[in-house]
Amino acid sequence: MIRQHREQQAIAKTIVNLQDKFNKNFDYPYVFLNEEPFTEEFKVAMRNAAPESSMKFGLVPESQWSYPTWVDQEKAAQSRKSMDDSGVLFGGLESYHHMCRYQSGFFFDHPLLEEYEWYWRVEPGVQFFCDITYDPFLYMEKYNKKYGFVVTLLELRDTIPTLWKTVEEYAKSRRIDISENSKLLFPYFRDKNSGDFNLCHFWSNFEIASLNLWRTPQYRDFFNYLDQTGNFFYERWGDAPVHSLAAGLFLNTDEVHYFEDIGYQHDLYRHCPSKESGLSCRCECPNGTNEKSIDHDKNYDTCLPVWLKHVKDDEKKKANWNVWS
């Protein structure tokens, strides 16, 4: 998943940053996975970035980074060309399709992750702005959280034209209540007016989550259902909406945590705690953060206002359930 020559410097810089803001005090190990063997040069560069930290380097099994037998590879190639011609972001990149499928259905089973219950996904080139003085994993465990995010925004509709319909069909076939009255997270993802996918999802390039969430029979069944459609290749289903909608099907809202206090940037999207929140005292956010932040209400693709409203509505529903229970 890491383009070693192109992204080596970017991931090394990110590790130095994460060590400074968090891991120098907690000394968690780093696990690197790739579909090609890591070079010695890459390994040395990573170890130099965090000399005191344990590091493991693993190879993704070829069987998990290739086409399943039911996928028509010629159709997949034609679909990639069509997406590329139509300007679908990353739609023409074969490796990107494999990456999305791998992150959706397999990474949590890699032998190097067997001993772990939690993970923090870190991408090359991301930046952290705030000192993280507590252990997010212990926080998640203590408060019964299963999935944590920093950024929630709109997905590109042309990457997932049939995903919502497929998920609805899955829920119906498994008798999962996804109505507005459901106790699950799922209503967060539904447009209240049209009933369609509102395109909100959690950006998976930052995830702090339970590996056991994805290891459950329920999630494996869900992924296999999606995988059988072939639409990781015929469309460009991303692991972000797949993880998000799965969380919607299998988690309650209060099992999902918004890490508002973690300042973070990936590409053009930035989150920093607002001064009003009282969480920004240990942050070194760039000038103009309020205007450039993905959370700013002028950003058309932020879903944070939708999330905050959903949390309030969920609390009201719980209050009503307690009255009638």
Side-chain angles (χ1 to χ4, degrees), residues 69-190:
T69 56
W70 55 86
V71 168
D72 183 333
Q73 294 189 42
E74 182 176 345
K75 179 181 176 181
Q78 292 172 348
S79 296
R80 287 197 306 276
K81 183 179 185 308
S82 177
M83 284 185 277
D84 194 43
D85 292 343
S86 300
V88 177
L89 186 65
F90 303 131
L93 297 180
E94 185 176 29
S95 62
Y96 198 87
H97 292 263
H98 286 297
M99 181 275 290
C100 290
R101 179 173 180 259
Y102 180 75
Q103 295 285 18
S104 296
F106 303 109
F107 83 94
F108 44 85
D109 280 331
H110 195 281
L112 291 184
L113 296 179
E114 282 182 354
E115 64 181 291
Y116 303 118
E117 296 182 11
W118 301 90
Y119 72 98
W120 182 336
R121 180 168 166 180
V122 180
E123 295 282 333
V126 305
Q127 187 173 359
F128 298 91
F129 300 118
C130 304
D131 290 337
I132 304 165
T133 58
Y134 66 98
D135 189 324
F137 303 116
L138 292 181
Y139 177 91
M140 298 279 281
E141 191 169 56
K142 179 178 180 179
Y143 293 100
N144 193 34
K145 307 294 184 181
K146 302 294 177 59
Y147 187 91
F149 72 95
V150 165
V151 173
T152 177
L153 74 169
L154 298 176
E155 180 58 294
L156 301 172
R157 189 176 295 277
D158 56 5
T159 65
I160 51 162
T162 67
L163 178 59
W164 178 257
K165 178 183 177 182
T166 304
V167 172
E168 285 189 312
E169 291 170 349
Y170 172 82
K172 183 178 181 180
S173 70
R174 302 308 191 264
R175 298 183 179 179
I176 299 173
D177 180 11
I178 57 174
S179 69
E180 283 300 312
N181 295 320
S182 170
K183 295 184 178 182
L184 297 174
L185 168 68
F186 198 85
Y188 168 61
F189 303 107
R190 182 185 291 109

